[in-house]
Amino acid sequence: MYQKYVKRLLDVILSAAALVVLCIPMALIALWIKLDSPGPVLFKQRRVGKGKVLFDILKFRTMRTDTPKDMPTHLLKNPETFITKSGRFLRRTSLDELPQIWNIFVGEMSIVGPRPALWNQDDLIAERDKYGANDITPGLTGWAQVNGRDELEIPVKAKLDGVYAANVTFAMDAKCFVRTITSVLGHEGVVEGGTGALKDAQESAQSDAQKNEPND
């Protein structure tokens, strides 16, 4: 009942309200992007939707137009070199995701659900198949996002998405929504370089610290 009817109704009402309330801030962000670097304001990318049906996700453009297309950030050699000045702020605050409110309004996404995979992320798609996470509508935020976000390894991320897929309830959605707000405000789990990058950075830092320790 909730997943089939109530969840979609809430998505429509809340996304419509957000489009009205945020229209001016989004217009200002669009102007900033346009003044900051050449290229379009919005960035479209093919993503995997419910039932593995592809759709175009919308984001504010945060990277230069010469960035390799359809490549996850964690596969770029030096992702920081492609990010624009405005993009750094938008990505850190997750404001680049605001255009996805439209994806939610038209039914391609939900407010809460597994983050939609890139069409060519075969490893993540295959892992999600194991847990039925590809059978539900992807979301702006989800259980994996509030439990690690960028630093999660793909098997862990897919398993968390599966936990959500098996527990699509109002209580679960409310928990994800509230924890998303606190995570965004605290910039938790945001790591340029993507999947597993925070873990790698921590291991590298520990290794450097050990090398620099004085010998007894």
Side-chain angles (χ1 to χ4, degrees):
M1 177 69 177
Y2 172 74
Q3 184 174 357
K4 191 173 182 180
Y5 301 109
V6 179
K7 184 175 172 68
R8 177 59 190 149
L9 180 61
L10 288 174
D11 282 340
V12 171
I13 294 172
L14 293 176
S15 61
L19 286 171
V20 173
V21 172
L22 297 174
C23 63
I24 294 178
M26 290 175 70
L28 292 175
I29 291 173
L31 178 61
W32 184 19
I33 293 170
K34 202 66 180 176
L35 294 174
D36 184 38
S37 65
V41 168
L42 293 178
F43 173 70
K44 294 182 180 180
Q45 196 173 55
R46 296 295 275 175
R47 295 288 182 119
V48 180
K50 182 179 179 180
K52 293 191 280 192
V53 175
L54 299 181
F55 72 98
D56 288 328
I57 198 173
L58 299 176
K59 290 188 176 189
F60 280 124
R61 182 176 58 84
T62 61
M63 306 184 91
R64 302 196 319 252
T65 54
D66 61 340
T67 305
K69 294 182 179 180
D70 294 328
M71 182 178 290
T73 306
H74 70 277
L75 294 182
L76 292 173
K77 188 173 182 180
N78 295 300
E80 282 285 355
T81 62
F82 293 100
I83 301 173
T84 61
K85 291 179 180 178
S86 59
R88 287 189 180 89
F89 175 80
L90 295 176
R91 292 165 77 92
R92 188 171 66 250
T93 57
S94 296
L95 291 174
D96 60 317
E97 312 284 359
L98 286 179
Q100 287 161 50
I101 296 172
W102 178 256
N103 291 117
I104 296 170
F105 182 72
V106 299
E108 295 168 332
M109 291 175 60
S110 179
I111 294 174
V112 180
R115 282 296 295 164
L118 273 167
W119 66 271
N120 58 356
Q121 280 185 290
D122 297 329
D123 47 358
L124 178 57
I125 296 168
E127 282 293 317
R128 283 178 170 172
D129 271 336
K130 298 177 182 178
Y131 305 103
N134 290 317
D135 300 328
I136 61 175
T137 305
L140 181 65
T141 185
W143 191 236
Q145 277 58 54
V146 299
N147 282 283
R149 200 170 174 178
D150 290 339
E151 72 263 30
L152 293 176
E153 300 289 348
I154 282 175
V156 178
K157 183 182 294 185
K159 190 172 183 178
L160 287 169
D161 289 332
V163 170
Y164 176 79
N167 297 277
V168 183
T169 63
F170 178 77
M172 185 65 154
D173 281 0
K175 185 185 295 185
C176 287
F177 187 78
V178 171
R179 288 183 60 176
T180 295
I181 294 173
T182 58
S183 294
V184 169
L185 291 176
H187 308 314
E188 296 174 8
V190 182
V191 184
E192 295 305 343
T195 306
L198 182 58
K199 179 181 177 182
D200 292 342
Q202 290 172 336
E203 290 177 349
S204 177
Q206 289 174 354
S207 176
D208 290 342
Q210 290 172 353
K211 290 178 183 178
N212 294 328
E213 285 180 358
N215 294 323
D216 293 334

